[in-house]
Structures are given as structure tokens and as C-alpha cells.
Coordinates of all heavy atoms in Angstrom, one line a residue:
N1148 N 3.2 5.7 12.8 CA 2.6 4.5 13.3 C 1.8 4.7 14.6 O 2.0 5.7 15.3 CB 3.7 3.4 13.6 CG 4.7 3.9 14.6 OD1 5.4 4.9 14.4 ND2 4.8 3.2 15.7
P1149 N 0.8 3.8 14.9 CA -0.1 4.1 16.0 C 0.4 3.6 17.3 O -0.4 3.8 18.3 CB -1.3 3.3 15.6 CG -0.8 2.2 14.7 CD 0.4 2.7 14.0
D1150 N 1.6 3.2 17.5 CA 2.1 2.6 18.7 C 2.3 3.7 19.8 O 2.6 4.9 19.4 CB 3.4 1.8 18.5 CG 3.1 0.6 17.6 OD1 2.7 -0.4 18.1 OD2 3.4 0.8 16.4
K1151 N 2.2 3.3 21.0 CA 2.3 4.3 22.1 C 3.6 5.0 22.2 O 3.8 6.1 22.5 CB 2.0 3.6 23.5 CG 1.8 4.5 24.6 CD 1.4 3.8 25.9 CE 1.3 4.7 27.1 NZ 0.8 4.0 28.3
A1152 N 4.7 4.2 21.8 CA 6.0 4.8 21.8 C 6.2 6.0 20.9 O 7.0 6.9 21.1 CB 7.1 3.8 21.3
Q1153 N 5.3 6.1 19.8 CA 5.4 7.3 18.9 C 4.2 8.3 19.1 O 3.9 9.1 18.3 CB 5.4 6.8 17.5 CG 6.7 6.3 17.0 CD 7.2 5.0 17.7 OE1 6.3 4.0 17.8 NE2 8.4 4.9 18.1
H1154 N 3.6 8.2 20.3 CA 2.5 9.1 20.6 C 3.0 10.5 20.5 O 2.3 11.4 19.9 CB 1.9 8.8 22.0 CG 1.0 9.9 22.5 ND1 1.5 10.9 23.3 CD2 -0.3 10.2 22.3 CE1 0.5 11.7 23.6 NE2 -0.6 11.3 23.0
R1155 N 4.1 10.8 21.1 CA 4.6 12.2 21.1 C 5.0 12.7 19.7 O 4.8 13.9 19.4 CB 5.8 12.3 22.1 CG 6.2 13.7 22.4 CD 5.1 14.4 23.2 NE 5.3 15.9 23.3 CZ 4.4 16.8 23.4 NH1 3.1 16.4 23.3 NH2 4.7 18.0 23.5
V1156 N 5.4 11.8 18.9 CA 5.7 12.2 17.5 C 4.4 12.6 16.8 O 4.4 13.7 16.1 CB 6.3 11.0 16.7 CG1 6.5 11.4 15.2 CG2 7.7 10.5 17.3
R1157 N 3.4 11.9 17.0 CA 2.1 12.3 16.4 C 1.6 13.7 16.9 O 1.2 14.5 16.2 CB 1.0 11.2 16.6 CG 1.4 9.9 16.0 CD 0.2 8.9 16.1 NE -0.2 8.5 17.4 CZ 0.3 7.5 18.1 NH1 1.3 6.8 17.6 NH2 -0.1 7.3 19.4
A1158 N 1.8 13.8 18.3 CA 1.3 15.1 18.9 C 2.1 16.3 18.3 O 1.6 17.4 18.1 CB 1.5 15.0 20.4
L1159 N 3.4 16.1 18.2 CA 4.3 17.2 17.7 C 4.0 17.5 16.2 O 4.0 18.7 15.8 CB 5.7 16.9 17.9 CG 6.3 16.8 19.3 CD1 7.7 16.3 19.3 CD2 6.2 18.2 19.9
A1160 N 3.6 16.5 15.5 CA 3.3 16.7 14.1 C 2.0 17.5 14.0 O 1.9 18.5 13.2 CB 3.1 15.4 13.3
L1161 N 1.0 17.2 14.8 CA -0.2 17.9 14.8 C 0.0 19.4 15.3 O -0.6 20.3 14.7 CB -1.3 17.2 15.7 CG -1.8 15.9 15.2 CD1 -2.6 15.2 16.3 CD2 -2.8 16.2 14.0
A1162 N 0.8 19.6 16.3 CA 1.1 20.9 16.9 C 1.8 21.8 15.8 O 1.7 23.0 15.8 CB 1.9 20.8 18.1
A1163 N 2.5 21.1 14.9 CA 3.3 21.8 13.9 C 2.4 22.0 12.6 O 2.9 22.4 11.6 CB 4.5 21.1 13.5
S1164 N 1.1 21.6 12.7 CA 0.2 21.8 11.6 C 0.6 21.0 10.3 O 0.2 21.3 9.2 CB 0.0 23.3 11.2 OG -0.5 24.0 12.3
K1165 N 1.2 19.8 10.6 CA 1.4 18.9 9.5 C 0.2 18.0 9.3 O -0.5 17.7 10.2 CB 2.6 18.0 9.8 CG 3.9 18.8 10.1 CD 5.1 17.8 10.3 CE 6.3 18.5 10.8 NZ 6.8 19.5 9.8
A1166 N -0.1 17.7 8.0 CA -1.1 16.7 7.8 C -0.6 15.4 8.4 O 0.4 14.9 8.0 CB -1.4 16.6 6.3
T1167 N -1.4 14.8 9.3 CA -0.9 13.7 10.1 C -1.8 12.5 10.0 O -3.0 12.6 10.4 CB -0.7 14.1 11.6 OG1 0.1 15.3 11.7 CG2 -0.1 13.0 12.4
Y1168 N -1.3 11.5 9.4 CA -2.1 10.2 9.2 C -1.6 9.1 10.1 O -0.4 9.0 10.4 CB -1.9 9.8 7.7 CG -2.3 10.9 6.7 CD1 -1.4 11.7 6.1 CD2 -3.7 11.1 6.4 CE1 -1.7 12.6 5.2 CE2 -4.0 12.0 5.4 CZ -3.0 12.8 4.8 OH -3.4 13.8 3.9
M1169 N -2.5 8.3 10.4 CA -2.2 7.1 11.2 C -3.1 5.9 10.7 O -4.3 6.1 10.4 CB -2.5 7.3 12.7 CG -2.2 6.2 13.6 SD -2.5 6.7 15.4 CE -4.2 6.3 15.5
A1170 N -2.5 4.8 10.6 CA -3.2 3.6 10.0 C -4.3 3.1 11.0 O -4.1 3.1 12.2 CB -2.3 2.5 9.6
V1171 N -5.4 2.7 10.4 CA -6.4 1.9 11.1 C -5.8 0.6 11.5 O -5.0 0.0 10.7 CB -7.6 1.7 10.2 CG1 -8.6 0.7 10.9 CG2 -8.3 3.0 9.9
P1172 N -6.0 0.1 12.7 CA -5.5 -1.2 13.1 C -5.7 -2.3 12.1 O -6.9 -2.5 11.6 CB -6.2 -1.5 14.4 CG -6.5 -0.2 15.0 CD -6.8 0.7 13.8
K1173 N -4.7 -3.0 11.6 CA -4.7 -4.0 10.6 C -5.3 -3.5 9.3 O -5.6 -4.4 8.4 CB -5.5 -5.2 11.1 CG -4.9 -5.9 12.4 CD -5.7 -7.1 12.8 CE -5.0 -7.8 13.9 NZ -5.8 -9.0 14.4
L1174 N -5.4 -2.2 9.1 CA -5.9 -1.7 7.8 C -7.2 -2.2 7.4 O -7.5 -2.5 6.3 CB -4.9 -1.9 6.7 CG -3.5 -1.4 6.9 CD1 -2.5 -2.0 5.9 CD2 -3.4 0.2 6.8
A1175 N -8.1 -2.4 8.5 CA -9.2 -3.3 8.3 C -10.5 -2.6 7.8 O -11.6 -3.2 7.8 CB -9.6 -3.9 9.7
L1176 N -10.4 -1.3 7.3 CA -11.5 -0.6 6.8 C -11.3 -0.2 5.3 O -10.1 -0.1 4.9 CB -11.8 0.6 7.6 CG -12.2 0.3 9.1 CD1 -12.4 1.7 9.8 CD2 -13.4 -0.5 9.2
D1177 N -12.3 0.1 4.6 CA -12.2 0.5 3.2 C -11.4 1.8 3.1 O -10.7 2.1 2.2 CB -13.6 0.7 2.6 CG -14.2 -0.7 2.3 OD1 -13.5 -1.7 2.1 OD2 -15.5 -0.7 2.3
Q1178 N -11.6 2.7 4.1 CA -10.8 3.9 4.3 C -9.8 3.7 5.4 O -10.1 3.9 6.6 CB -11.7 5.1 4.6 CG -12.8 5.3 3.6 CD -12.3 5.7 2.2 OE1 -11.5 6.6 2.0 NE2 -12.8 5.0 1.2
P1179 N -8.6 3.2 5.1 CA -7.8 2.6 6.2 C -6.8 3.5 6.9 O -5.9 3.1 7.6 CB -7.0 1.5 5.4 CG -6.8 2.1 4.1 CD -8.0 2.9 3.8
F1180 N -7.0 4.8 6.8 CA -6.2 5.8 7.5 C -7.0 6.8 8.2 O -8.0 7.3 7.7 CB -5.2 6.5 6.6 CG -4.2 5.5 5.9 CD1 -4.5 4.9 4.7 CD2 -3.0 5.1 6.6 CE1 -3.6 4.0 4.1 CE2 -2.1 4.2 6.0 CZ -2.4 3.7 4.8
Y1181 N -6.5 7.2 9.4 CA -7.1 8.3 10.2 C -6.4 9.6 9.8 O -5.1 9.6 9.7 CB -6.9 8.1 11.7 CG -7.6 6.9 12.3 CD1 -6.8 5.9 12.8 CD2 -9.0 6.7 12.3 CE1 -7.4 4.8 13.4 CE2 -9.5 5.6 12.9 CZ -8.7 4.6 13.4 OH -9.3 3.5 14.0
L1182 N -7.1 10.7 9.5 CA -6.6 12.0 9.4 C -6.7 12.7 10.8 O -7.8 13.1 11.1 CB -7.3 12.8 8.3 CG -6.8 14.3 8.2 CD1 -5.3 14.3 7.8 CD2 -7.6 15.0 7.1
L1183 N -5.7 12.6 11.5 CA -5.7 13.1 12.9 C -6.1 14.6 13.1 O -6.6 15.0 14.1 CB -4.5 12.7 13.7 CG -4.1 11.2 13.8 CD1 -2.8 11.1 14.6 CD2 -5.2 10.5 14.4

């Protein structure tokens, strides 16, 4: 999830070379996920 409380979770996933996705706010785009 994109909330600040889980910022470190996202960072650790990226550092561990996991494919890491985060939703676009309100899923408001045709491609609604970021590939970090």
C-alpha cells in the first residue's frame, strides 16, 4: 500500500530485488499500478 507507514516495507522489498507494485491513488488511471 502507498501509505507512509509502509514506506520502509516498500524500500526493503526494492532492496531485496522483489518486483514491487504500489497502487495509483484511487486507481484513477487506465494503468493503475506503479512498478517501483
Side-chain angles (χ1 to χ4, degrees):
N1148 60 299
D1150 298 278
K1151 190 174 181 181
Q1153 281 71 42
H1154 167 263
R1155 193 65 189 148
V1156 176
R1157 299 189 295 272
L1159 289 174
L1161 288 167
S1164 299
K1165 301 182 190 298
T1167 306
Y1168 303 98
M1169 183 175 84
V1171 170
K1173 297 184 178 181
L1174 302 167
L1176 299 176
D1177 288 331
Q1178 306 294 309
F1180 296 94
Y1181 299 115
L1182 177 60
L1183 298 182

